[in-house]
Amino acid sequence: MVWKNIFVAFLVTSAVVKADDLEALINSVFNLTDPQGATTVATPIAPQPGPQPGPIVPAPIDVDPGVNAENHCSGECVQYYLCNDDKINDNGEGLIDIRFEGDEEETCVDYLESCCEKKNIVVEPIIPELPKLETIGCGARNPDGVGFRITGNNDGESEFAEFPWMVAVLKEEKTNDLLLNVYECGGSLIAPNVVLTSAHCVFEKKKDAFLVRAGEWDTQTKNELYGHQDRKVIDVIIHEQYNKGTLYNDVALLILQTPFDLAENVQTVCLPPQAHNFDLSRCYASGWGKNVFGREGKYQVILKKVHLPVVPHAKCQQALRTTRLGKRFNLHDSFLCAGGEPGKDTCRGDGGSPLVCPIAGAKERYYQAGIVAWGIGCGEDQIPGVYADVAKQRNWIDAKLKLKNVDPRHYTYLP
């Protein structure tokens, strides 16, 4: 994901793990040379409370919330939702600064912790009032977040649970007899047991190596009110006409071993009707991908978002012909384009992540219009990014999920 400023808010020990390089694939297909000599690395996702199938690299920095000698807290540093005198807990509308540095008198190590007098510390989380889940349905975005709102989001950081359908696709890898869960790509939850992602993320890889994480937001903390959930993948369905050389029909479905438990931070996205047109819509892409192209790019800690216009097919093809793809390049009908505004784009590591557009006449409800596929660089002026067109695949998705007895009402907008 590209933003104008490089976001550096956390310092953690990290491990670099080799992953598939989509840009190298594009270069090889079109006989192109990456002028920046970019390489791709994978960013691990930090663990959350609850049973884990294996360690995730890097592990979060463990800090004892009771230790306050160094942080000058006059009480005790606890998760913000465990302090009874914290106004954040009253209605979920309190503000938390994600660039929190604290003041000289009261400073906790984690920005999601609060300095709390011991007499006010509670055991059970104080949960703000939230909409009833049965009234939410698919595609409900939370523009103000869930449980708290953030400040300091100058680089496109999303609110917590703003896009509750966003998932991370992880891959289990063994290194020195240690099982690691490595970030592979993004995806979206379209039913409690089904994830929509790009075919290039999972093609020719063992299905039992994949793990899907829902409810993730900040990959380096476990202090959110609602934790993430992990599920194993038992089946991978790739479009029969997917072409690994050209990335035509770059769509895949992941069937999970057990469904996710729908929660405030875990919901499904709506899919558009077949052949629905999104031209000129202003839409959101989200992901944990790199902020700039090339070696200087950093994978994101907090889930990022970017607001982009959908570009008509013919105009996108014309723009791409001005790049190193050349004047004879033909944009396949299975692609949709969005972006072209300088410094705003999806980027390396965002593959499989959703592009969502507002549903006309429905407040804060969204269709998934695209799946991040490829691009020429990231955030180039007048050069849109390229996505798999979900509306062109709706009939295919329905047909495949019918065989799995998945109810289409999970991902169908019902006014």
Side-chain angles (χ1 to χ4, degrees), residues 1-2 21-30 32-36 38 40 198 200 245-247 250 292-294 308 316 319-325 329 331 335-340 344-352 371-388:
M1 190 71 65
V2 172
D21 189 340
L22 178 57
E23 183 71 12
L25 172 61
I26 296 171
N27 290 340
S28 64
V29 170
F30 298 109
L32 306 174
T33 301
D34 180 357
Q36 301 189 43
T40 298
S198 58
H200 76 256
T246 60
L247 301 184
D250 191 14
V292 295
F293 184 75
L308 301 168
C316 180
L320 291 173
R321 285 179 173 180
T322 67
T323 71
R324 61 188 191 270
L325 292 173
F329 174 74
L331 183 65
F335 292 128
L336 171 146
C337 297
K344 295 171 65 178
D345 199 0
T346 48
C347 202
R348 186 163 299 159
D350 285 321
I371 307 169
V372 176
W374 58 275
I376 301 300
C378 300
E380 301 294 330
D381 190 13
Q382 304 299 315
I383 307 299
V386 184
Y387 300 72

Side-chain angles (χ1 to χ4, degrees), residues 1 21 30 32 47 69 87 112-113 129 136 166 173 194 198 223 244 248 270 275 287 293 305 346 358-359 381:
M1 190 71 65
D21 189 340
F30 298 109
L32 306 174
K87 64 180 180 180
L112 287 177
E113 289 183 341
E129 293 185 6
I136 292 179
M166 184 74 204
E173 293 187 358
V194 182
S198 58
N223 286 333
K244 67 177 182 180
Y248 299 166
C270 302
F293 184 75
K305 64 182 178 183
T346 48
I359 298 175
D381 190 13

Side-chain angles (χ1 to χ4, degrees), residues 63-108:
V63 179
D64 183 353
V67 177
N68 54 34
E70 295 182 358
N71 54 36
H72 308 293
C73 174
S74 61
E76 185 172 334
C77 289
V78 298
Q79 288 93 337
Y80 71 94
Y81 48 82
L82 294 180
C83 187
N84 199 34
D85 67 347
D86 190 340
K87 64 180 180 180
I88 291 174
N89 299 314
D90 294 340
N91 55 15
E93 294 183 355
L95 299 177
I96 290 180
D97 189 351
I98 59 173
R99 297 176 188 275
F100 169 78
E101 295 178 356
D103 55 41
E104 294 182 357
E105 297 298 323
E106 295 185 339
T107 304
C108 297

Side-chain angles (χ1 to χ4, degrees), residues 1 3 99 153-158 302-306:
M1 190 71 65
W3 290 265
R99 297 176 188 275
N153 49 335
N154 302 321
D155 291 320
E157 293 88 353
S158 68
I302 293 178
L303 180 69
K304 295 294 189 74
K305 64 182 178 183
V306 60

Side-chain angles (χ1 to χ4, degrees), residues 152-219:
N153 49 335
N154 302 321
D155 291 320
E157 293 88 353
S158 68
E159 296 284 347
F160 174 67
E162 181 174 357
F163 304 101
W165 49 78
M166 184 74 204
V167 304
V169 180
L170 312 178
K171 188 174 68 170
E172 292 183 343
E173 293 187 358
K174 271 191 174 183
T175 303
N176 298 326
D177 296 326
L178 184 66
L179 188 62
L180 307 177
N181 292 323
V182 179
Y183 178 73
E184 188 75 8
C185 58
S188 59
L189 192 66
I190 63 173
N193 65 329
V194 182
V195 166
L196 179 64
T197 188
S198 58
H200 76 256
C201 288
V202 294
F203 187 66
E204 295 181 337
K205 296 172 185 174
K206 294 181 179 179
K207 62 185 180 183
D208 57 359
F210 289 111
L211 185 75
V212 174
R213 173 163 296 175
E216 183 64 277
W217 179 62
D218 183 336
T219 65

Side-chain angles (χ1 to χ4, degrees), residues 380-399:
E380 301 294 330
D381 190 13
Q382 304 299 315
I383 307 299
V386 184
Y387 300 72
D389 190 334
V390 174
K392 297 282 180 61
Q393 307 292 351
R394 176 63 192 265
N395 288 345
W396 179 85
I397 292 171
D398 285 344

